[in-house]
Amino acid sequence: MHNFTSDFLLLEFSKIWELQIIYVALLLILYLMTLTGNLLIIIAVVSDYRLHIPMYFFLMNLAIQDIGSVSVIIPKAIFNSLTNTRHIYYSGCVTQVLMFIFFVGSDIAVLTLMAYDRYVAICNPLRYEIIMNRAACTKMISCVWIASFLNSVMNTIDTFIIPFCSNIINQFYCEIPHLLNIACSGSYISEIGVVMFSSTLGFGCFVFIVITYVKIFAAVLKIPSVHGRKKTISTCLPHLTVFSIFLFTVFFAYLRPISNKPSDLDFIITILYSIIPPMLNPLIYSMRNKELKAALSKFICSFVFEKTWNCINLCQ
């Protein structure tokens, strides 16, 4: 038994330089797309007073968390590939686990708040402004950040107090299942308890969202006009889509057995659940949301017009 406390060796994308460059280019494109889309959501919500309502406040927090989750893992993977190294310091690995669990845990919590917001708006519209006031929303999102951070700290501590019998991680970032895979036999019982606790919280959020939408659809069916039903459902569809993608990719990634050998399938699955949902979220919300599209168009047009006008003035 030996406890590795200096550094770890992460997964190398490929020993062939050309293939490694292709992987890096793919990660960089996905990362830039995720950053751009989520930053535009944040800017649109902040800059347009019409979007200063609970739904967009939660959406802005979701965008912040999506940027955080990909920024914790992708830049390091790109840097390692370009410098042809696999090393990550022990402290860096701890930081990756802490921040990634924090942001992913915050995601499911914010999606739960967004479901509750839609429930109040549709099932109790007359009291919506009273229930979902600014102070209440601020308290809700503060509880999400604090609870997610405490959960992340608990998972991180329980992961790294165990001794590791190897320092080779078959993943391009430090991930708890792969760290447990290199833990010395019989030394990770406490971490299993923490993972079960976190899974129970996640399952609780899932059940809450399902019950919420059962009540929402029951209320929608009581709306007399077809147009009214379609309009109401359209406000819920982006959230349902985002939640379904998040749920499917996370379950698919974490319920499968962890392989002792790296494979292209593992890499694809990791990309699917760690990068694709944060990248798709802005597209899903902006495609079916007229207010958000209008705010983004207004911002982009004003930005382009201002730059063009400044260039004209400089030329004169």
Side-chain angles (χ1 to χ4, degrees), residues 167-224:
N167 68 338
I168 300 174
I169 303 173
N170 289 323
Q171 182 62 283
F172 65 86
Y173 69 96
C174 291
E175 187 183 33
I176 287 180
H178 286 274
L179 285 166
L180 294 181
N181 208 35
I182 61 172
C184 296
S185 178
S187 62
Y188 50 87
I189 302 301
S190 62
E191 175 57 26
I192 291 176
V194 174
V195 170
M196 290 298 294
F197 174 73
S198 301
S199 301
T200 302
L201 290 179
F203 183 71
C205 290
F206 166 71
V207 171
F208 179 86
I209 293 174
V210 170
I211 293 173
T212 297
Y213 271 104
V214 168
K215 293 184 177 181
I216 287 174
F217 288 132
V220 168
L221 292 175
K222 295 178 182 179
I223 298 174

Side-chain angles (χ1 to χ4, degrees), residues 195-255:
V195 170
M196 290 298 294
F197 174 73
S198 301
S199 301
T200 302
L201 290 179
F203 183 71
C205 290
F206 166 71
V207 171
F208 179 86
I209 293 174
V210 170
I211 293 173
T212 297
Y213 271 104
V214 168
K215 293 184 177 181
I216 287 174
F217 288 132
V220 168
L221 292 175
K222 295 178 182 179
I223 298 174
S225 74
V226 176
H227 176 71
R229 288 198 293 267
K230 287 183 179 180
K231 186 176 180 181
T232 304
I233 291 175
S234 68
T235 64
C236 301
L237 197 57
H239 176 265
L240 268 176
T241 307
V242 168
F243 175 68
S244 300
I245 292 173
F246 178 84
L247 193 71
F248 173 77
T249 53
V250 169
F251 276 14
F252 186 67
Y254 282 95
L255 293 181

Side-chain angles (χ1 to χ4, degrees), residues 93-232:
C93 194
V94 171
T95 303
Q96 271 198 344
V97 170
L98 176 71
M99 298 310 295
F100 187 72
I101 296 297
F102 168 57
F103 285 120
V104 172
S106 300
D107 260 16
I108 183 65
V110 170
L111 288 171
T112 305
L113 288 183
M114 293 173 81
Y116 178 69
D117 172 70
R118 290 299 84 206
Y119 165 75
V120 176
I122 294 168
C123 299
N124 205 349
L126 297 179
R127 300 191 61 215
Y128 179 75
E129 292 186 4
I130 298 174
I131 298 173
M132 301 300 293
N133 59 68
R134 184 184 294 267
C137 291
T138 303
K139 288 178 182 177
M140 288 178 190
I141 208 67
S142 298
C143 289
V144 164
W145 287 102
I146 293 170
S148 299
F149 183 73
L150 292 176
N151 176 60
S152 179
V153 168
M154 188 168 59
N155 273 276
T156 304
I157 290 174
D158 267 28
T159 299
F160 288 96
I161 60 173
I162 60 178
F164 297 102
C165 289
S166 172
N167 68 338
I168 300 174
I169 303 173
N170 289 323
Q171 182 62 283
F172 65 86
Y173 69 96
C174 291
E175 187 183 33
I176 287 180
H178 286 274
L179 285 166
L180 294 181
N181 208 35
I182 61 172
C184 296
S185 178
S187 62
Y188 50 87
I189 302 301
S190 62
E191 175 57 26
I192 291 176
V194 174
V195 170
M196 290 298 294
F197 174 73
S198 301
S199 301
T200 302
L201 290 179
F203 183 71
C205 290
F206 166 71
V207 171
F208 179 86
I209 293 174
V210 170
I211 293 173
T212 297
Y213 271 104
V214 168
K215 293 184 177 181
I216 287 174
F217 288 132
V220 168
L221 292 175
K222 295 178 182 179
I223 298 174
S225 74
V226 176
H227 176 71
R229 288 198 293 267
K230 287 183 179 180
K231 186 176 180 181
T232 304

